[in-house]
Amino acid sequence: MSAIPLLPQVEAFLKRSHQLFIDGGYVPSTSSQTLDVIDPATGVVISRVADASQADIDQAVASANRGFQVWSQTAPAARASVLLKLADLLERHREELAQIETCQSGKIIQISRMFEVDMAASFLRYYAGWATKISGQTITPSLPSFAGERYTAFTLREPVGVVVGIVPWNFASMIAIWKLGSALATGCSIIIKPSEFTPLTILRIAELAVEAGLPAGALNVLTGGGMVGKALIEHPGTDKVSFTGSVPTGIAVGKSAMDAKLTRATLELGGKNSAAFLRDMDLDKAVNGVIEAGFLHSGQICAAAERFFVHRSQLEAMTEKLAERLATLKIGSPLDEATQFGPLTNKQHQAKLGQFFAQARAENSTIVCGGKVIDGPGCYVEPTVIIANSINDTLLNEETFGPVATFFPYDDEEQLLQLMNNTPYGLSASLWTNDLSKALRMVPQIEAGTVWVNMHTLLDPAVPFGGVKASGVGREFGDAFIDDYTELKSVMIRY
Ligand code: NDP
């Protein structure tokens, strides 16, 4: 097999001189600064985008405020209809969007198709369904009545206003859709700031949103570096930030939001997630589980597991079997449909993985397989299996955000729970066992926002998702997002 040819419309899109998406169309930046977009599989510059200036930010915020006036007054059913049309358009342009995403992120093409387009469309349809179901309560107050007067009260759920959606590079389209779906379903307008590494797909999606009938200003896209995100949060014309990214940046975002004007902040951050295999698990199934939990999209998934706990008696057999399986993975061009393992998304990230490998060697961890950066213009690293020496080893504690499974043995389930919870983070965890009774007794003792049993990583729009401890604040999906994107107004009436 070889790389699929790019569609002519993808070639043409990449060649464009990309401008900012403000007020329903493209607007040139007031700055002449641009950012290169690099294909991480080849190291070649494939496109350039504008680096928004403060004047551009002011213009986008003014537009988003006008967009909010229109969109928040649009009937919920009409809002749902636009989101449903956008979901249809995503699917109609499936291959085009998937190819753009693969070119900018190095994600293998099947994952771009399945997650960045198909899953994104189903998330959007889920949010569309909520637009008509957001409601308050009626309440009977217990205030005293002196002359026969009575009271009633009700609550309104009102959109917070202009949302700033800050998106990381790992799922540039799907995570942007989570944010714009939540914002637009609740009647907010949104300005998306994509990662500087992966700014292209969301620009094309913004065009499709206008085709779907979204009014000008309800969705703006400002490309640029991290400082564009910071300036948006601190802008007096924005009302909420929904951030997905790393823990250090999330803390900076939370501080900026509080310092600016108590801007509402939802923070979906990273972690150091555990997958624990109980003794009854068949080893072949367990190895499949490790690959699902740790190696999808080269491990660049916030919910992926990076710490693997296995009973001491099974550690050697399991890590050897896993190494054999990883050796069969086809590493190659993400545009080749036969490729199972693609590059990391950028050179900085590849260099960071190189440092983690060096650290593992310095700490005398056992490198069962992998542990090297692959030379060449692309951002490849080897799929890696490590056995840590001590629970304090760096690779058991710091997020690598790469294809690195670090193992540690346990002796009994009480110790296992302590090991799993021995981290400042708590985004996700998984338990693998045939003994569901045991699993259900352990689940409440695991400190994580999501606990999977016999599965890992897969998200569903109906199931709330977010972190505990240092992995974030707030929840996406389910009906939990509504609290974050609306303000609750109480109305009391005497009659
Ligand atoms: P970063 O935290 O580096 O960046 C995330 C976004 O924030 C980017 O758009 C970035 O822009 C922007 N940014 C950077 N500095 C600031 C600032 N001071 N103020 C506002 N915005 C800023 O994360 P990565 O892009 O490297 O993504 C990987 C991380 O994301 C991992 O830690 C992963 O765990 C986490 N993640 C969490 C998820 C969750 O749901 N919990 C899901 C997916 C990823 P730029 O890139 O242009 O610098």
Side-chain angles (χ1 to χ4, degrees), residues 167 169-170 193 195-196 244-246 249 268-270 302 399 401:
V167 178
W169 44 255
N170 65 331
K193 206 302 279 178
S195 165
E196 63 197 271
T244 299
S246 61
T249 312
E268 294 291 347
L269 310 181
C302 57
E399 184 187 46
F401 214 54

Side-chain angles (χ1 to χ4, degrees), residues 8-23:
Q9 58 270 42
V10 172
E11 302 259 25
F13 181 81
L14 295 178
K15 282 195 190 114
R16 278 195 217 165
S17 172
H18 294 282
Q19 301 181 332
L20 303 166
F21 198 92
I22 300 176
D23 231 23

Side-chain angles (χ1 to χ4, degrees), residues 2 8 51 93 134 140 161 176 198 201 204 229 275 312 356 368 371 375 380 431 443 471:
S2 56
D51 186 3
H93 294 268
I134 297 168
T140 304
T198 53
T201 327
R204 183 69 185 108
R312 191 177 298 279
F356 276 120
V368 182
D375 282 341
Y380 291 84
L431 273 180
V443 164
S471 287

Side-chain angles (χ1 to χ4, degrees), residues 35 166-171 175 178-179 193-198 224-231 233 241 243-250 252-253 256 267-271 300-303 346 349 352 399 401 427 459 465-467 471 476:
L35 297 167
I166 300 182
V167 178
W169 44 255
N170 65 331
F171 281 94
I175 295 177
W178 296 349
K179 299 196 183 308
K193 206 302 279 178
S195 165
E196 63 197 271
F197 297 107
T198 53
M227 288 308 103
V228 174
K230 187 170 189 303
I233 298 165
V241 54
F243 171 85
T244 299
S246 61
V247 173
T249 312
V253 162
S256 295
L267 306 172
E268 294 291 347
L269 310 181
Q300 301 169 112
I301 301 184
C302 57
N346 56 68
H349 193 40
K352 194 172 119 190
E399 184 187 46
F401 214 54
L427 185 60
L459 302 178
F465 178 69
S471 287
E476 302 196 89

Side-chain angles (χ1 to χ4, degrees), residues 20 22 27-31 51-63 222 228 231-232 235:
L20 303 166
I22 300 176
V27 173
S29 172
T30 59
S31 129
D51 186 3
S53 67
Q54 186 59 48
D56 301 327
I57 292 167
D58 292 341
Q59 197 185 345
V61 172
S63 157
L222 282 187
V228 174
L232 281 167
H235 200 288

